[in-house]
Amino acid sequence: MALDQSYVGRSYPPSAPYEVGREKIREFAEAVGDTHPAYVDREAALALGHPDVIAPPTFVFAITFKAAGAVVHDPELGLDYSRVVHGDQKFAYTRPVHAGDLLSVTSTIEAIKSLAGNDIIDVRGEVHDEKGEHVVTAWTKLVSRAAATGEGA
């Protein structure tokens, strides 16, 4: 069943603030195999002009995807999360994420379309710091696969 187009443009309340920790950044950099010193060494980050270690670019996915849960689990929208796969992700930064940042995300449904029985939903996450300054925008594309029909389904 196609998702309701009237949800396009709907924004959800900002997420609870997330405090970015040095150890979380280090663990993430290790997990993705990125050895840039500014991710793990405060002195290296300071030498590059940052106030503390910085996070790899995809670090904010965990924060923005959690915030997108407000969209995904909105009972009125009717998205069947058991059929959802992650379709695409992109980021546009105003500045890097630093250890010590307190970040909140406001999620907005940018687009809903149906293609071959699949529902495709684009969610934009606007990430701001504790001063209300923009840090990064993340776009997440989710695909809710069509239910199988016919024999053997």
Side-chain angles (χ1 to χ4, degrees):
M1 184 167 119
L3 296 175
D4 186 345
Q5 288 289 320
S6 72
Y7 278 75
V8 174
R10 179 176 284 194
S11 291
Y12 293 77
S15 64
Y18 174 90
E19 185 172 354
V20 179
R22 280 191 199 129
E23 187 64 13
K24 288 289 186 184
I25 292 173
R26 185 193 63 74
E27 290 170 350
F28 186 87
E30 270 183 17
V32 299
D34 197 328
T35 60
H36 194 289
Y39 302 150
V40 295
D41 180 353
R42 187 168 188 267
E43 295 305 315
L46 290 171
L48 293 171
H50 300 289
D52 208 323
V53 295
I54 60 172
T58 56
F59 178 85
V60 296
F61 174 76
I63 303 165
T64 58
F65 190 72
K66 183 176 181 182
V71 176
V72 169
H73 299 296
D74 182 339
E76 293 177 16
L77 177 61
L79 184 66
D80 181 358
Y81 190 67
S82 72
R83 307 201 60 76
V84 169
V85 295
H86 185 247
D88 192 21
Q89 188 71 50
K90 55 187 177 174
F91 305 96
Y93 277 85
T94 300
R95 69 158 176 87
V97 170
H98 304 112
D101 278 340
L102 202 56
L103 304 176
S104 294
V105 183
T106 301
S107 297
T108 301
I109 298 174
E110 273 203 337
I112 296 173
K113 51 191 160 193
S114 290
L115 185 62
N118 299 306
D119 286 321
I120 302 167
I121 184 167
D122 294 320
V123 180
R124 183 182 74 243
E126 296 288 347
V127 182
H128 292 86
D129 64 16
E130 64 275 12
K131 297 175 200 159
E133 295 176 1
H134 182 265
V135 176
V136 58
T137 300
W139 290 271
T140 304
K141 185 178 297 289
L142 302 173
V143 179
S144 182
R145 299 167 291 122
T149 57
E151 268 187 61

